[in-house]
Structures are given as C-alpha cells and as structure tokens.
Amino acid sequence: MLKLIECPRDAMQGWHRLISTEEKINYLNALLQVGFDTIDFGSFVSAKAIPQMADTKALIPQLQLSGSTSKLLAIVANVRGAEEAVAFDEIDCLGFPFSISETFQLRNTNKTIAESLEQVHTMQELCIKNRKTLVVYISMGFGNPYGDPYNADIVMQWVEELTKVEIHTISLADTVGVANPENISWLFSQLIPAYPKVEFGAHFHSAPHNWEEKVAAAYVQGCKRFDSAIKGIGGCPMAKDELVGNLATENLLAFCQAKGEPLPLNFQALQTAQQIADSIFY
C-alpha cells in the first residue's frame, strides 16, 4: 500500500496572501479526517524567512487529532527548530531539507552541506530521545539551477552518509521541477534494493503536463511514499522566484486508482477539504 503524504505546509508557505491562523486550523482539521498517512502541516523556521509559517505553534493545540490516523510532520531548518518541534507530543515526524546543492543549502538554511550533515546527527539524536521520526528530504535531488555539481553518484554518496546516521526515511525532492523519468527511474532502481531498511519517498515539484511520467518512473521502481498537495499548489519559495507547483493530490489519487492501489481514504472528507482549499487558494 502506498503512503500518501499531504503537504498543506508546502502549499501555504509561498502563497501570495497571508492565510489566517483560523483558515489554517479549519483546513488542517478537514485534512486530518481524510486518512492520509502523514500531514506536513507546518514548520519551525525563521518567521522572517517564511512569514506564512509564523503561527505553526499556535495551530497545534487547535488540531483535532482524536480519531485521526494521520501523523503530523513539521519541517525544521536547523537544530534550534528541531528542539522546538520535539517538545510537542502531537508531532510525530520532523522533516529536514538536506540539499546536495551547496548554493541552495546556504540559501535555504544558511549552512554548508558539511555543516548540515552535522546538524542531521544532532537532530537524529533529538528525535530518538523524543520518540520522533526524522525524515530527510534530499532537496535538489534531481539537479539544480545554480551550476553546482550534480550527478546520480553524488545522490548515492549522500544517501550513504545519511544511512550512517541511521536515517530510515529519505525522500528525493525535485525542488525546482527538473527531474526527468530516466533519472528518477535510475535512482530509485539503485537505492531501493541497496538500502532495504530505508523507506524512500518522492517529493515532486511538477508542472501539470509532466507529473504522471515522474510518478510512474518512481512507482515502477518500487517507490511507495509520495508527497502531494491538493490543487497542486506550492513549491519552495527559497529556490526560485517562481514556484513550480506540487504534484496535485487529485492526480496522484487518479494514478493510484488506475494502478489498482487500495485507497483507504474518506472521500467525503476529502471533498470537504477540497472545498476549503478552494476558499483559501484564490
């Protein structure tokens, strides 16, 4: 069965108007009723850098977690953010963007790749101590627009380094939408059998015309974890001036249904969440 990770945080973080705390609470509570494996709901990052996420702490007490099977994931950019996030019992997973592009890692977290690996060590210790799961996103995992060195061997090298820290969930992120099916297929075909104890996921930023070929390339090679966002809204505001857009949840669900994948979701709750999304993202 596929794990579906819904990413309202990714959709909201770069939106052009400030979304109120009340709107976010209403939307997140609707999503919690759908049955997604995980909700990427907020982030513990600099409010100056990502002002849309400044109210993440205020959201948590208002979330209706009783009766929901979904786990909560919060993005962190450094150890300070991780220390804040692990203090909340409601949060199950911390997500850390580990870029294999030096330029982007400095731009996104103000740390070099080497410094970020040290932070992964510390964050993993925090997560183990506080019974959380650290999810590492290999951002710029399919290339970068900065001219930084990139090839599949570099991806493999950094995955090997992360497994030395006992990271068991690694998601390859197409941060600026440059992945092609051949590269996707090759990476997953090599990584999944080489690291059987690691759950590999795909976080595709994608335009509407080429999402399916990306999903299919990962799926055929055994990827069982996919991130998406309702309406396909989002992207990383720290990467480029224009957001690429996320893999749309609606498209991912249609793909799953076509492949005969079981979808233990509450589709009435999904419809409600989609209606709320329409009222937020306009």
Side-chain angles (χ1 to χ4, degrees), residues 134-186:
L134 182 59
V135 179
V136 175
Y137 291 86
I138 296 186
S139 64
M140 301 292 174
F142 299 95
N144 66 80
Y146 311 115
D148 290 343
Y150 173 84
N151 57 54
D153 289 339
I154 291 173
V155 180
M156 300 288 287
Q157 168 199 334
W158 286 113
V159 168
E160 176 65 21
E161 291 299 319
L162 292 169
T163 60
K164 291 177 182 177
V165 195
E166 298 295 318
I167 302 299
H168 294 296
T169 308
I170 298 174
S171 192
L172 303 187
D174 187 15
T175 315
V176 287
V178 298
N180 62 67
E182 293 76 17
N183 194 15
I184 294 167
S185 179
W186 192 92

Side-chain angles (χ1 to χ4, degrees), residues 60-117:
I60 296 171
Q62 304 300 319
L63 297 181
Q64 297 167 2
L65 299 171
S66 178
S68 175
T69 60
S70 297
K71 297 184 284 288
L72 289 183
L73 181 147
I75 295 294
V76 299
N78 49 39
V79 170
R80 179 198 58 77
E83 289 171 340
E84 291 184 54
V86 298
F88 290 90
D89 292 338
E90 296 89 343
I91 294 175
D92 303 285
C93 310
L94 274 60
F96 177 68
F98 180 83
S99 178
I100 57 174
S101 156
E102 191 81 75
T103 300
F104 184 62
Q105 194 65 6
L106 286 165
R107 185 172 176 175
N108 197 32
T109 68
N110 201 31
K111 294 283 190 299
T112 65
I113 296 175
E115 289 169 336
S116 296
L117 186 61

Side-chain angles (χ1 to χ4, degrees), residues 110-247:
N110 201 31
K111 294 283 190 299
T112 65
I113 296 175
E115 289 169 336
S116 296
L117 186 61
E118 292 178 7
Q119 295 231 320
V120 170
H121 281 251
T122 304
M123 287 187 283
Q124 176 71 327
E125 291 173 356
L126 280 168
C127 284
I128 292 171
K129 181 180 179 181
N130 291 276
R131 299 180 300 280
K132 314 290 187 191
T133 297
L134 182 59
V135 179
V136 175
Y137 291 86
I138 296 186
S139 64
M140 301 292 174
F142 299 95
N144 66 80
Y146 311 115
D148 290 343
Y150 173 84
N151 57 54
D153 289 339
I154 291 173
V155 180
M156 300 288 287
Q157 168 199 334
W158 286 113
V159 168
E160 176 65 21
E161 291 299 319
L162 292 169
T163 60
K164 291 177 182 177
V165 195
E166 298 295 318
I167 302 299
H168 294 296
T169 308
I170 298 174
S171 192
L172 303 187
D174 187 15
T175 315
V176 287
V178 298
N180 62 67
E182 293 76 17
N183 194 15
I184 294 167
S185 179
W186 192 92
L187 281 170
F188 282 106
S189 73
Q190 298 299 307
L191 289 169
I192 290 174
Y195 299 97
K197 294 183 179 179
V198 175
E199 178 179 69
F200 286 99
H203 184 100
F204 293 135
H205 289 172
S206 181
H209 71 277
N210 64 357
W211 68 269
E212 188 169 7
E213 61 188 28
K214 296 183 181 185
V215 172
Y219 176 82
V220 166
Q221 298 301 336
C223 180
K224 297 292 186 181
R225 179 188 177 98
F226 289 91
D227 291 15
S228 65
I230 287 174
K231 295 173 70 71
I233 293 166
C236 182
M238 305 299 287
K240 295 181 75 176
D241 292 333
E242 292 187 17
L243 303 184
V244 178
N246 269 300
L247 167 61

